[in-house]
Amino acid sequence: KQASLYYSALVVVFWFFVGICGLIAHIKAPELDPRMTIPYLVDAVIPIGIKGVVIAGILSAVMSTADSDLNIASISAYRDVFGYKITSKGLSRIRNISLLLGAGAIALALLFKNIIDILFFVLNFWSLSFMFPLILGILGLRVGYKTVLAAIVCGTISALVWNYMFTKSTDINGT
């Protein structure tokens, strides 16, 4: 519980600085496409000698996060979804799950034009599927497997129906 509080505090600080970067970019270039904020800031604000270090830092953070997320997703799928205990024999299964998830991530990356669109697409499903069980868990209420599974199914169906049936008629994008 204490780790969740620390993590939440760090997330708030992180998003605060992301917002500050967005405000700086908006002040310096009001006509700028929001998806170009970081490239603009690196080009216009960061001194020449530090630009390479900043770009390398961003790429290393993205690669490290992707690697960690893929590892966590594979282990979680193996243990929580399939119900296996982690043993030395199970490592090859975890590796195969990693390969499948990695292939799915590559396919997703090829479907979208930029990373922001991928982020909105994934968050659309995540927020509808996992927010309800997550809030119940944070409040200390026990959430069973069936409740989580029902939330995932309902959230996924809701996201698909809204994005493919109602976005055009209401002009409100689900993402």
Side-chain angles (χ1 to χ4, degrees):
K1 192 171 184 175
Q2 190 175 11
S4 295
L5 293 175
Y6 288 141
Y7 175 76
S8 299
L10 287 173
V11 167
V12 168
V13 170
F14 171 77
W15 285 112
F16 173 77
F17 283 111
V18 168
I20 294 296
C21 288
L23 288 173
I24 290 170
H26 182 68
I27 290 168
K28 291 183 86 46
E31 73 286 347
L32 183 67
D33 179 10
R35 292 177 286 192
M36 297 303 294
T37 300
I38 297 298
Y40 171 78
L41 287 176
V42 169
D43 188 44
V45 177
I46 306 289
I48 290 176
I50 303 176
K51 286 182 185 183
V53 174
V54 169
I55 292 170
I58 291 171
L59 286 174
S60 65
V62 168
M63 289 172 50
S64 173
T65 301
D67 174 51
S68 299
D69 288 347
L70 187 60
N71 187 30
I72 289 169
S74 301
I75 292 171
S76 178
Y78 181 77
R79 186 161 185 250
D80 298 335
V81 175
F82 299 119
Y84 298 124
K85 291 188 178 188
I86 297 176
T87 62
S88 59
K89 291 181 180 181
L91 292 179
S92 64
R93 287 182 181 165
I94 293 173
R95 184 177 54 237
N96 291 337
I97 294 170
S98 293
L99 287 171
L100 287 173
L101 291 174
I106 291 170
L108 195 63
L110 294 174
L111 286 174
F112 291 93
K113 295 177 188 172
N114 59 51
I115 197 162
I116 298 298
D117 292 340
I118 295 171
L119 179 67
F120 285 145
F121 178 79
V122 171
L123 286 177
N124 185 24
F125 290 96
W126 181 87
S127 62
L128 290 172
S129 299
F130 293 103
M131 194 56 75
F132 180 69
L134 179 65
I135 290 171
L136 290 177
I138 289 172
L139 293 174
L141 302 172
R142 300 275 301 163
V143 180
Y145 177 78
K146 291 180 181 179
T147 305
V148 173
L149 189 58
I152 291 170
V153 170
C154 291
T156 301
I157 290 170
S158 299
L160 290 172
V161 167
W162 184 268
N163 284 327
Y164 293 107
M165 294 182 73
F166 296 113
T167 298
K168 291 181 183 177
S169 63
T170 62
D171 202 30
I172 300 172
N173 191 348
T175 59

